[in-house]
């Protein structure tokens, strides 16, 4: 997949996430009303709408576009989600400087998780986005590096792992974030940050699948149609 | 002089804490930042960085924060500025009061002001 197609894939992913969050906005806010400050849906929706506008205005390689989205989230989200989602994208974008390959996406995922853990000082079991993210990142890495999966299959397994992680947040007691102030009253509620993390991963899987299967004809503009060999690139680990 | 920045989710809370702290350390350089740029409850790193830069001179800056996202956004703001600034692990109002008094000492450093702020952890109220 050439650089232009990769950049286009990043933009499509940001757009897909922005669309998904606008659909899920109310549900995320309902989850956050139960155990937080009831702003997660609105914050994520506003953040990704701004990220999409900025990404559309930017003409850059995939790393620059991901960084641009991160900067927009940091300035627009206005809560812990700004530094957690945006700051982590900014840091992890450095791993995509050589383009999007199986190897760079594993590094990207690990860097993203590491930044979230450092910034939020949260671990698995604290009832946060880390509960969805950790199994997803570990599963992705293992599927590629140990099981030799194609990146799409690895990402599919990662999404399943994140979904189980989200389910795991419901019966546990929050130890980080606003929900931790509720103590035992947080038990029985699904974590909004873990949930939105799952939505991001689901949309990434959808967009990656479209691009890798070579089904995408972008905006009907002939000069942006993926190269005929586009589907081979992520699978063999790079260009 | 060491500068002080008070960060709260609420603009009025931040301003009120600055008001209380100023009563004790009138000469200190202290800025209050609260709420998001569009007036909601929350914090964003941009205005925190501007406040750090506004109170900074040669002495560096100590930042007092309230809840979780204020800590994360203050840390991001510090990473984005060249100013020598630290977040104090202290209750925001008592910490701001201690820091403001400590900052007016002629020998004050970022470390001494941060320690004074963090001493507020040990204050027993009743």
């Amino acid at each position: 997949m050439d650089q232009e197609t990769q950049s286009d894939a990043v933009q499509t992913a940001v757009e897909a996430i922005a669309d998904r969050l606008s659909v899920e906005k109310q549900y995320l806010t309902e989850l956050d009303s139960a155990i937080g400050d009831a702003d997660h849906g609105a914050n994520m929706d506003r953040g990704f709408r701004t990220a999409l506008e900025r990404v559309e205005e930017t003409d850059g390689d995939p790393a620059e576009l991901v960084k641009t989205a991160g900067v927009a989230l940091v300035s627009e989200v206005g809560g812990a989600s700004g530094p957690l989602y945006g700051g982590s994208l900014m840091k992890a974008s450095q791993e995509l400087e050589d383009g999007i390959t199986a190897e760079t996406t594993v590094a990207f995922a690990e860097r993203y998780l590491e930044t979230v853990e450092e910034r939020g000082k949260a671990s698995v079991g604290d009832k946060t986005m880390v509960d969805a993210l950790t199994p997803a990142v570990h599963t992705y890495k293992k599927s590629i590096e140990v099981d030799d999966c194609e990146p799409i299959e690895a990402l599919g397994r990662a999404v399943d792992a994140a979904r189980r992680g989200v389910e795991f947040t419901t019966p546990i007691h929050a130890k980080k974030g606003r929900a931790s102030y509720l103590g035992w009253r947080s038990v029985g509620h699904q974590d909004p940050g873990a949930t939105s993390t799952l939505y991001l991963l689901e949309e990434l899987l959808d967009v990656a699948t479209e691009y890798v299967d070579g089904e995408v004809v972008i905006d009907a503009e002939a000069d942006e149609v993926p190269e005929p060999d586009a589907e081979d690139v992520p699978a063999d680990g790079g260009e | 002089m060491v500068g002080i920045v008070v960060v709260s989710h609420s603009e009025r809370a931040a301003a009120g804490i600055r008001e209380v702290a100023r009563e004790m350390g009138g000469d200190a350089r202290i800025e209050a930042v609260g709420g998001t740029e569009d007036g909601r409850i929350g914090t964003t790193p941009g205005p925190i960085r501007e406040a750090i830069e506004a109170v900074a001179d040669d002495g560096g800056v100590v930042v007092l924060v309230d809840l979780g996202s204020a800590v994360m956004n203050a840390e991001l703001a510090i990473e984005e500025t060249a100013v020598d600034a630290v977040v104090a692990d202290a209750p925001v109002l008592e910490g701001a009061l201690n820091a403001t008094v400590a900052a007016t000492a002629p020998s004050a450093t970022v470390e001494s002001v941060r320690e004074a702020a963090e001493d507020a952890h040990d204050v027993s109220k009743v």
Side-chain angles (χ1 to χ4, degrees), chain A residues 176-187:
Chain A
K176 286 283 171 193
R178 199 65 76 88
S180 64
Y181 292 91
L182 291 171
W184 289 100
R185 282 164 58 199
S186 66
V187 172

Side-chain angles (χ1 to χ4, degrees), chain A residues 26-79:
Chain A
Q26 201 179 343
Y27 177 61
L28 288 173
T29 292
E30 276 168 30
L31 293 178
D32 198 31
S33 325
I35 55 169
D37 47 4
D39 62 1
H40 191 58
N43 284 352
M44 291 296 284
D45 177 47
R46 190 184 50 251
F48 269 93
R49 266 191 285 123
T50 308
L52 178 59
E53 283 165 23
R54 305 257 180 95
V55 165
E56 282 173 344
E57 289 162 4
T58 307
D59 190 19
D61 62 31
E64 283 165 39
L65 294 183
V66 172
K67 188 178 175 193
T68 301
V71 171
L73 294 178
V74 164
S75 67
E76 283 301 313
V77 174

Side-chain angles (χ1 to χ4, degrees), chain A:
Chain A
M1 204 185 291
D2 63 18
Q3 184 181 299
E4 201 180 325
T5 310
Q6 292 188 1
S7 293
D8 204 89
V10 171
Q11 189 178 317
T12 306
V14 175
E15 192 176 350
I17 292 167
D19 288 350
R20 179 73 184 275
L21 289 169
S22 96
V23 171
E24 307 285 1
K25 177 178 165 180
Q26 201 179 343
Y27 177 61
L28 288 173
T29 292
E30 276 168 30
L31 293 178
D32 198 31
S33 325
I35 55 169
D37 47 4
D39 62 1
H40 191 58
N43 284 352
M44 291 296 284
D45 177 47
R46 190 184 50 251
F48 269 93
R49 266 191 285 123
T50 308
L52 178 59
E53 283 165 23
R54 305 257 180 95
V55 165
E56 282 173 344
E57 289 162 4
T58 307
D59 190 19
D61 62 31
E64 283 165 39
L65 294 183
V66 172
K67 188 178 175 193
T68 301
V71 171
L73 294 178
V74 164
S75 67
E76 283 301 313
V77 174
S81 299
L84 289 172
Y85 287 87
S88 305
L89 283 182
M90 285 166 65
K91 281 248 168 74
S93 69
Q94 296 166 14
E95 304 293 344
L96 299 179
E97 276 166 9
D98 295 330
I100 300 175
T101 66
E103 199 180 16
T104 62
T105 52
V106 170
F108 172 86
E110 289 190 289
R111 188 77 179 277
Y112 184 98
L113 172 62
E114 197 181 285
T115 315
V116 167
E117 287 174 328
E118 275 172 22
R119 184 76 68 197
K121 298 175 182 73
S123 314
V124 167
D126 287 347
K127 197 179 182 98
T128 69
M129 64 178 71
V130 171
D131 293 329
L133 202 54
T134 302
V137 172
H138 289 185
T139 300
Y140 187 66
K141 182 182 170 76
K142 190 237 177 194
S143 301
I144 287 191
E145 294 184 356
V146 181
D147 302 337
D148 277 330
C149 289
E150 302 285 317
I152 293 300
E153 194 193 341
L155 188 52
R157 291 182 181 187
V159 168
D160 289 340
R163 197 170 292 125
R164 290 193 294 274
V166 170
E167 288 165 10
F168 165 74
T169 63
T170 302
I172 62 175
H173 165 191
K175 296 193 189 69
K176 286 283 171 193
R178 199 65 76 88
S180 64
Y181 292 91
L182 291 171
W184 289 100
R185 282 164 58 199
S186 66
V187 172
H189 299 281
Q190 183 175 313
D191 182 66
T195 309
S196 58
T197 296
L198 171 63
Y199 295 156
L200 264 58
L201 289 168
E202 285 176 347
E203 295 308 316
L204 276 185
L205 174 61
D206 268 8
V207 172
T209 306
E210 284 174 32
Y211 273 79
V212 171
D213 289 349
E215 290 167 0
V216 174
V217 178
I218 307 125
D219 297 329
E221 287 177 39
D223 59 343
E224 288 185 8
V225 174
E227 297 288 291
D229 63 346
E231 65 268 31
D232 295 329
V233 174
D236 66 19
E239 299 174 61

